[in-house]
């Protein structure tokens, strides 16, 4: 009888020891596994940066800033883009991003009905937030969450004030724009005219050119025939500056004109160093990339909701020819 009791007690002790060890294993396992799961969740946000100008130095800086911010915030960032401003491929990339159910899209704004339909209908219906970067589109037409980039209205005003300071209150100014103006170009143009309209003796002429260098050169050549007494040029689209200067130099001295542009690209900086551009508006593309990713993360985590619908403006400044030398 006594032997049976001892055996029973021993069996009970074994059972208790088994459950105790099992519980300890579970506790220690949960302590080891839980941080890994948390880290995995923290790295779960998949973001995509999409641009139409993948091969430009400006967008290389935007990409660098965006990748740094993504790494800092533990998010995954893919950069998709097209070369030569191919709009169809660009829009296709947005469609693919939406179909892939990414967590957030950071995209160069494009002021077309197709772009707005993708952001306002398809992305919104799937709950995918869209932030425009560098180039904006109207919020009510696109339902983008916010914009990160330069204040293009102020940029236009700044370059116009610099031109008036250089040229004086009298003269004929050519404003070179694209045939199909993007929203940011129209905003820049408004800023320029807001300043110049205050000077009745400054005559402005708006000239529309295509996007290719050949189209801009042809428009410049025709303008010089029609307006040989022009005093100044403002390239509202930054990639027009080189073609304008090249065409002028075929016929006369470039330094006979006051010439202004936007964006401190390698080409425009070289032209400034040569004294062919008097001033330009320098932007902050790396900061655009950093802030757009940081804001997207804040939106996704609920840390900052809603985002400012008017946008977040990055630094701009006037760079004069003497600053580039």
């Amino acid at each position: 009888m006594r032997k049976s009791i001892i055996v029973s007690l021993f069996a009970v002790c074994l059972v208790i020891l088994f459950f105790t060890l099992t519980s300890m294993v579970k506790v220690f396992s949960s302590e080891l596994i839980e941080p890994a799961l948390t880290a995995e969740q923290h790295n779960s946000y998949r973001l995509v940066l999409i641009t139409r100008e993948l091969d430009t130095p400006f967008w290389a800086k935007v990409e660098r800033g965006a990748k740094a911010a993504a790494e800092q915030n533990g998010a995954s960032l893919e950069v998709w883009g097209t070369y030569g401003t191919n709009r169809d491929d660009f829009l296709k990339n947005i469609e693919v991003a939406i179909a892939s159910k990414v967590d957030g899209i950071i995209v160069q704004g494009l002021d077309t009905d197709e772009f707005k339909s993708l952001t306002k209908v398809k992305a919104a219906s799937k709950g995918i937030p869209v932030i425009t970067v560098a180039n904006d589109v109207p919020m009510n037409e696109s339902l983008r969450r916010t914009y990160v980039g330069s204040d293009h209205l102020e940029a236009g005003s700044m370059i116009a004030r610099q031109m008036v300071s250089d040229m004086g209150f009298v003269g004929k100014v050519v404003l070179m724009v694209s045939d199909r103006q993007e929203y940011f170009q129209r905003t820049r143009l408004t800023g320029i005219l807001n300043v110049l309209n205050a000077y009745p003796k400054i005559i402005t002429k708006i000239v529309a050119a295509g996007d290719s260098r050949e189209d801009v050169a042809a428009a410049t050549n025709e303008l010089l025939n029609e307006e040989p007494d022009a005093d100044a040029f403002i390239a509202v689209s930054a990639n027009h500056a080189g073609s304008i200067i090249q065409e002028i130099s075929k016929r006369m001295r470039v330094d006979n004109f006051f010439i202004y542009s936007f964006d401190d690209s390698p080409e425009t900086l070289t032209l400034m160093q040569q004294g062919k551009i008097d001033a330009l508006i320098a932007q902050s593309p790396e900061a655009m990339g950093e802030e757009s990713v940081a804001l997207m993360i804040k939106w996704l985590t609920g840390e900052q909701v809603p985002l400012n619908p008017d946008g977040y403006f990055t630094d701009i400044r006037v760079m004069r020819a003497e600053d580039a030398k």
Side-chain angles (χ1 to χ4, degrees):
M1 180 73 178
R2 184 177 179 183
K3 186 176 181 181
S4 298
I5 293 173
I6 292 172
V7 171
S8 298
L9 288 173
F10 181 74
V12 169
C13 288
L14 285 176
V15 170
I16 293 172
L17 179 62
F18 171 79
F19 282 110
T20 300
L21 289 173
T22 302
S23 299
M24 290 176 66
V25 168
K26 286 182 178 179
V27 169
F28 283 112
S29 296
S30 66
E31 288 180 353
L32 291 172
I33 294 171
E34 192 168 337
L37 289 174
T38 302
E40 183 180 341
Q41 289 175 340
H42 191 56
N43 283 300
S44 63
Y45 290 129
R46 182 187 173 201
L47 310 181
V48 176
L49 170 65
I50 306 175
T51 172
R52 291 184 295 139
E53 302 171 32
L54 195 61
D55 55 343
T56 65
F58 180 95
W59 281 96
K61 293 176 183 177
V62 175
E63 178 182 339
R64 184 164 63 240
K67 284 184 173 179
E71 183 177 355
Q72 183 178 357
N73 286 278
S76 166
L77 177 74
E78 299 171 38
V79 180
W80 300 353
T82 54
Y83 300 90
T85 64
N86 186 310
R87 289 181 180 173
D88 290 338
D89 288 348
F90 171 71
L91 294 170
K92 186 65 177 178
N93 278 334
I94 300 173
E95 284 194 83
V96 172
I98 295 170
S100 301
K101 298 180 180 179
V102 298
D103 294 296
I105 297 173
I106 300 168
V107 62
Q108 179 182 7
L110 178 63
D111 193 16
T112 66
D113 292 338
E114 295 86 354
F115 177 90
K116 294 169 189 173
S117 176
L118 286 172
T119 58
K120 190 174 185 177
V121 180
K122 291 190 176 181
S125 67
K126 293 184 179 295
I128 300 175
V130 174
I131 291 178
T132 53
V133 61
N135 299 350
D136 196 16
V137 290
M139 180 181 181
N140 62 327
E141 298 176 16
S142 64
L143 291 187
R144 53 92 171 136
R145 300 301 179 184
T146 194
Y147 159 72
V148 179
S150 302
D151 180 345
H152 292 292
L153 184 69
E154 177 59 18
S157 299
M158 288 170 66
I159 204 67
R161 288 194 293 267
Q162 182 63 47
M163 189 203 70
V164 171
S165 175
D166 296 339
M167 184 185 74
F169 305 146
V170 180
K172 183 176 288 186
V173 181
V174 177
L175 308 177
M176 189 73 77
V177 299
S178 298
D179 286 332
R180 187 196 171 284
Q181 293 179 50
E182 299 285 353
Y183 179 65
F184 78 93
Q185 283 191 47
R186 298 198 305 272
T187 307
R188 282 178 182 173
L189 187 60
T190 299
I192 293 168
L193 294 174
N194 285 346
V195 172
L196 299 187
N197 287 343
Y199 302 95
K201 292 186 179 181
I202 293 181
I203 301 169
T204 58
K205 183 177 179 65
I206 301 173
V207 176
D211 290 323
S212 71
R213 296 184 73 93
E214 293 77 13
D215 289 341
V216 177
T220 303
N221 185 56
E222 184 177 348
L223 181 280
L224 291 172
N225 290 334
E226 296 175 356
E227 307 286 348
D229 57 341
D231 298 292
F233 285 82
I234 298 179
V236 180
S237 178
N239 58 7
H240 287 176
S243 299
I244 292 171
I245 291 170
Q246 184 178 32
E247 197 61 28
I248 290 174
S249 64
K250 293 178 181 178
R251 303 176 54 161
M252 58 194 77
R253 291 174 58 86
V254 175
D255 55 13
N256 289 343
F257 300 89
F258 296 97
I259 300 178
Y260 304 87
S261 184
F262 297 82
D263 305 336
D264 50 335
S265 67
E267 181 184 29
T268 53
L269 285 176
T270 298
L271 291 170
M272 282 191 72
Q273 291 166 352
Q274 296 171 351
K276 295 178 180 178
I277 290 180
D278 293 275
L280 54 78
I281 297 297
Q283 302 189 73
S284 304
E286 195 160 343
M288 294 178 196
E290 291 175 0
E291 192 164 355
S292 60
V293 169
L295 288 169
M296 181 64 81
I297 297 295
K298 289 179 179 179
W299 167 270
L300 292 170
T301 59
E303 181 182 340
Q304 192 167 335
V305 177
L307 299 175
N308 186 344
D310 295 328
Y312 298 83
F313 296 140
T314 49
D315 184 58
I316 54 175
R317 63 188 179 90
V318 175
M319 179 183 289
R320 296 177 298 173
E322 51 264 37
D323 300 327
K325 295 178 179 179

